[in-house]
Amino acid sequence: MLGLSAFAFADGSSLGSNPGPSGSPTVGSSDDDGARASPSASVSGGSDSGRERLMMGIADSSEKRSSIKEQFRAAIQNKVDGDQRFNRCSQFTDAAQREACFTQEAGIGDLARDKIKCESDDANASACIRGLKEKVLTAWRWRFAHLIDMAGKLNVSANLTADVEDFKVFVQSEALAFENATTSAEKKQIVNDVLAAWKELRAKILREMVEAKIQKAQTGIERALEVLRNLRDKLQERNQTTPGLDNAISRLEANLAKLDSDNVSLSQKWVSARHSLDAIAFAKRSIMRMVNRMPAEEMRESEVEIPKEVEEADDSS
């Protein structure tokens, strides 16, 4: 089964890392003026047009979706399928290695230098430039095709299946637009739009993953709380004081209230879940101290480091 961390874009970002501005992909394109296109740092927003096309489903009708898929298959997928260079590079699970392979196998070097060499060959300048552009297009066809393949292999819940399918159609549409783009600005915008859409999908997946983990922890905490309450009742029936258990149960009840609240962030819920584990461990120690007639100890909560994916899921809400 393909893990989420294997879903990486050409910039090397994956679900296990932060695809922020510092990780923006470089668009190895050579347009009419020979400029090397590189997306701006502000990729998090994307263009309104690209994001609106995604949010509106880019293809409200099944007929339009089918048309985009068919055009992509004819213009790009058929050129990628069976290409041993693409297949060889796609086997790399490390995004940086895969991107280096795409670049090398497509024959892309220093584009500015290569264009100067083309222009110095008066007899074959036009053909040389066309060949250079075709190399760049080849690399980007591979990148788009690989991204779509990886999206199709994502292990997501039924709730996000439609989002993944929308994303795949969106990338297919943008890949077709890239084929027809004639300037660096157009190509940069297309890449920014795709990266913005990817970040939106990634955020949804992260949020669902984090919420599922917190829900699983909450279920375990509720079961532990029920056991501790029953045990306390039995001890109190024997006229035993239970200060340690009382403290742990009160803490668990307060934490569960936070876990149930819609007004508490995922980061806060993560901390509450972790502190609940501390309270359960404290309750177990308190019981042992009671059995051994030892004095009660003070309950302490550990410092909780919030994972990056939890913080990112919070940012997406």
Side-chain angles (χ1 to χ4, degrees):
M1 183 177 295
L2 181 69
L4 289 172
S5 61
F7 184 36
F9 190 55
D11 62 339
S13 64
S14 70
L15 280 175
S17 63
N18 180 15
S22 62
S24 303
T26 296
V27 185
S29 61
S30 177
D31 57 13
D32 292 339
D33 61 5
R36 182 178 176 84
S38 177
S40 64
S42 58
V43 297
S44 59
S47 73
D48 290 340
S49 61
R51 290 164 66 86
E52 286 174 4
R53 285 199 299 275
L54 177 66
M55 297 305 294
M56 294 174 65
I58 196 175
D60 296 326
S61 69
S62 58
E63 181 179 347
K64 189 172 182 181
R65 293 175 74 92
S66 297
S67 176
I68 291 173
K69 292 178 180 179
E70 186 56 40
Q71 290 179 55
F72 177 81
R73 186 180 299 110
I76 298 174
Q77 194 65 55
N78 288 342
K79 296 176 182 177
V80 171
D81 288 343
D83 190 323
Q84 294 304 312
R85 297 172 299 170
F86 171 76
N87 294 335
R88 183 163 52 251
C89 294
S90 294
Q91 292 177 2
F92 286 106
T93 56
D94 179 79
Q97 288 181 307
R98 184 172 58 250
E99 173 58 22
C101 184
F102 281 160
T103 301
Q104 180 179 356
E105 291 290 350
I108 299 173
D110 185 322
L111 291 174
R113 182 192 62 197
D114 290 345
K115 185 177 182 184
I116 292 174
K117 288 176 62 177
C118 285
E119 291 172 340
S120 65
D121 185 357
D122 294 335
N124 301 300
S126 296
C128 184
I129 291 294
R130 285 196 301 272
L132 198 57
K133 289 183 177 181
E134 185 59 31
K135 290 178 181 179
V136 170
L137 272 178
T138 295
W140 273 100
R141 287 167 186 153
W142 293 347
R143 290 167 182 145
F144 289 129
H146 182 77
L147 182 59
I148 292 167
D149 286 346
M150 290 295 97
K153 295 175 182 176
L154 281 173
N155 183 26
V156 299
S157 71
N159 294 332
L160 293 179
T161 299
D163 294 274
V164 172
E165 289 304 311
D166 281 347
F167 175 76
K168 288 165 60 179
V169 175
F170 176 74
V171 176
Q172 289 172 339
S173 177
E174 294 299 277
L176 291 169
F178 195 93
E179 290 277 317
N180 298 318
T182 58
T183 68
S184 293
E186 289 177 281
K187 294 168 186 175
K188 283 191 285 187
Q189 191 60 69
I190 289 168
V191 173
N192 279 348
D193 288 347
V194 170
L195 186 53
W198 151 236
K199 290 180 73 174
E200 287 183 9
L201 177 64
R202 179 177 185 266
K204 289 180 181 179
I205 296 172
L206 277 175
R207 186 166 187 83
E208 185 177 70
M209 287 174 58
V210 171
E211 288 176 342
K213 289 181 179 180
I214 291 175
Q215 181 58 53
K216 183 177 180 180
Q218 182 175 348
T219 300
I221 294 166
E222 289 170 345
R223 291 173 180 168
L225 179 59
E226 182 180 0
V227 171
L228 293 176
R229 282 172 173 164
N230 291 336
L231 180 58
R232 181 180 63 178
D233 290 344
K234 292 179 180 179
L235 290 172
Q236 290 179 349
E237 287 174 0
R238 299 175 184 176
N239 296 320
Q240 286 188 267
T241 58
T242 56
L245 272 178
D246 292 341
N247 196 358
I249 288 172
S250 295
R251 195 64 57 89
L252 288 174
E253 290 172 340
N255 287 336
L256 280 174
K258 293 179 182 178
L259 293 174
D260 273 331
S261 175
D262 293 331
N263 299 319
V264 176
S265 69
L266 289 178
S267 294
Q268 290 174 308
K269 289 185 177 184
W270 190 273
V271 172
S272 295
R274 184 63 185 85
H275 283 167
S276 294
L277 297 181
D278 292 338
I280 293 170
F282 172 79
K284 292 179 180 178
R285 293 196 303 273
S286 295
I287 294 170
M288 293 302 299
R289 295 178 77 87
M290 289 171 57
V291 170
N292 295 313
R293 301 182 182 280
M294 297 172 63
E297 64 174 318
E298 181 181 353
M299 184 166 67
R300 293 184 175 85
E301 293 178 333
S302 60
E303 291 290 330
V304 179
E305 182 177 352
I306 300 174
K308 183 177 292 185
E309 61 264 26
V310 177
E311 294 179 341
E312 290 185 44
D314 247 346
D315 292 340
S316 71
S317 60

